[in-house]
Amino acid sequence: MTHPRIAVLALLAVAAAWGSTFFLTKDLLTRMDVADYLALRFAIASIALIVINPPAISRLSRLDRGRGIALGVTYGIAQLVQTEGLRHTSASVSGFVTGMYVVFTPLLAAVILRHKIGRWAWVAVVLATVGLGVLSLNGFSMGTGELLTLASAGLYALHIIGLGAWSTPSNAFGLSALQMVVITVVCAIGALPGGFTLPSGSGDWLRVIYMALIAGALALIVQTWAQAHLTPTRAAIAMTMEPVFASGFAVLFGSESVTARMLFGGALVMSAMYLVELAPRRKIEAEVQHLAQ
């Protein structure tokens, strides 16, 4: 099996891990502040990565360190915004709206590279907007949770583009560890104003540890390695399974029920994701490669 195929399978595993966190986080946030939870989660992940390979960060070049810091800041802010949004919407809706990064990734890559956006991309944007409306709109206004989650999707798209351009098999671990440290700092700054609180029980600690080590440290290492073998748009296709996993876990374990709006809106969003990725893939992937040079 070739490296790209292994990388796609690896990203599917990452998507499953991320998807499993939505309903767990939703429950945990009833007892913990957003920034406190994220700071603790990524602090545990950072410590784990540093213990496993202490010199990984120091081996990075100055350029890679700068890139790692930029990626970490972007991802950290995205996590804060997304998790705050999750406080105001359901886990299944949050999963689908977060998945809009798959639409934003090629669009932002095209804007950054001054590449003309094709008609299929615009069709996908309209389709995704309609799907998002069916899925998330409350009357004539979009809720706070959906807006925050949509903003985080844009930040995740920037992270995917940067990671695809800057990661290599040789710097994957160090870049992951540095990102984790920076994400921890960003989230800790967010936690400072209200003070810092720890989980109250063993069950909450287990949730945090799982999301720190499996859906945090391990997932980021795998994503960084996989994106060294894939272009951002191909990686984004694999990660479209995240909202599917999120909704599945939310229904199976999170006491959420399947609704017609969820199915129809989710289907439209997923259709837009695949349309924007598959239709213009060759042209956009060719352009995105220039970022790594």
Side-chain angles (χ1 to χ4, degrees):
M1 187 177 292
T2 62
H3 278 161
R5 290 184 179 179
I6 295 174
V8 169
L9 292 176
L11 285 180
L12 289 176
V14 169
W18 286 346
S20 71
T21 66
F22 284 87
F23 80 95
L24 292 173
T25 301
K26 179 74 173 178
D27 176 65
L28 192 60
L29 291 180
T30 62
R31 296 177 295 280
M32 284 190 73
D33 181 74
V34 170
D36 293 351
Y37 152 67
L38 290 175
L40 178 61
R41 172 186 172 184
F42 289 110
I44 293 172
S46 298
I47 293 170
L49 292 181
I50 292 172
V51 168
I52 291 172
N53 191 351
I57 295 177
S58 63
R59 289 174 180 168
L60 293 173
S61 67
R62 179 177 295 183
L63 180 60
D64 281 342
R65 289 177 195 171
R67 289 170 170 175
I69 291 171
L71 290 169
V73 169
T74 302
Y75 195 92
I77 295 174
Q79 281 283 303
L80 286 170
V81 174
Q82 179 197 10
T83 309
E84 179 60 32
L86 184 57
R87 291 170 63 95
H88 304 284
T89 189
S90 68
S92 55
V93 169
S94 179
F96 274 114
V97 178
T98 300
M100 287 290 289
Y101 62 70
V102 184
V103 175
F104 291 148
T105 298
L107 295 179
L108 288 176
V111 170
I112 292 170
L113 295 164
R114 298 180 182 179
H115 184 273
K116 183 179 179 181
I117 300 175
R119 64 180 182 276
W120 287 112
W122 286 117
V123 170
V125 169
V126 173
L127 188 62
T129 302
V130 174
L132 183 60
V134 172
L135 190 67
S136 310
L137 285 180
N138 182 15
F140 291 100
S141 62
M142 184 176 289
T144 301
E146 289 76 25
L147 286 173
L148 288 172
T149 308
L150 192 62
S152 74
L155 291 171
Y156 285 131
L158 291 174
H159 183 264
I160 290 171
I161 293 169
L163 199 59
W166 297 333
S167 63
T168 65
S170 61
N171 73 6
F173 195 99
L175 204 59
S176 299
L178 179 56
Q179 286 181 83
M180 278 296 175
V181 172
V182 174
I183 294 167
T184 301
V185 172
V186 170
C187 295
I189 292 173
L192 286 177
F196 190 78
T197 58
L198 295 173
S200 57
S202 59
D204 287 350
W205 272 107
L206 287 175
R207 288 181 174 88
V208 172
I209 291 171
Y210 164 75
M211 289 186 281
L213 299 182
I214 305 301
L218 181 60
L220 189 57
I221 291 173
V222 172
Q223 182 194 5
T224 303
W225 175 86
Q227 286 204 236
H229 299 281
L230 300 171
T231 56
T233 49
R234 188 172 179 185
I237 290 173
M239 290 188 286
T240 57
M241 288 301 295
E242 179 187 0
V244 177
F245 284 120
S247 293
F249 282 119
V251 170
L252 290 175
F253 304 110
S255 300
E256 292 192 19
S257 57
V258 178
T259 65
R261 285 172 63 93
M262 181 191 299
L263 293 175
F264 183 55
L268 289 175
V269 172
M270 293 293 289
S271 297
M273 292 176 186
Y274 281 100
L275 180 62
V276 79
E277 295 298 340
L278 296 177
R281 180 197 289 185
R282 289 186 179 180
K283 291 182 69 175
I284 291 180
E285 284 189 348
E287 293 294 326
V288 170
Q289 292 305 301
H290 296 167
L291 286 172
Q293 296 177 356

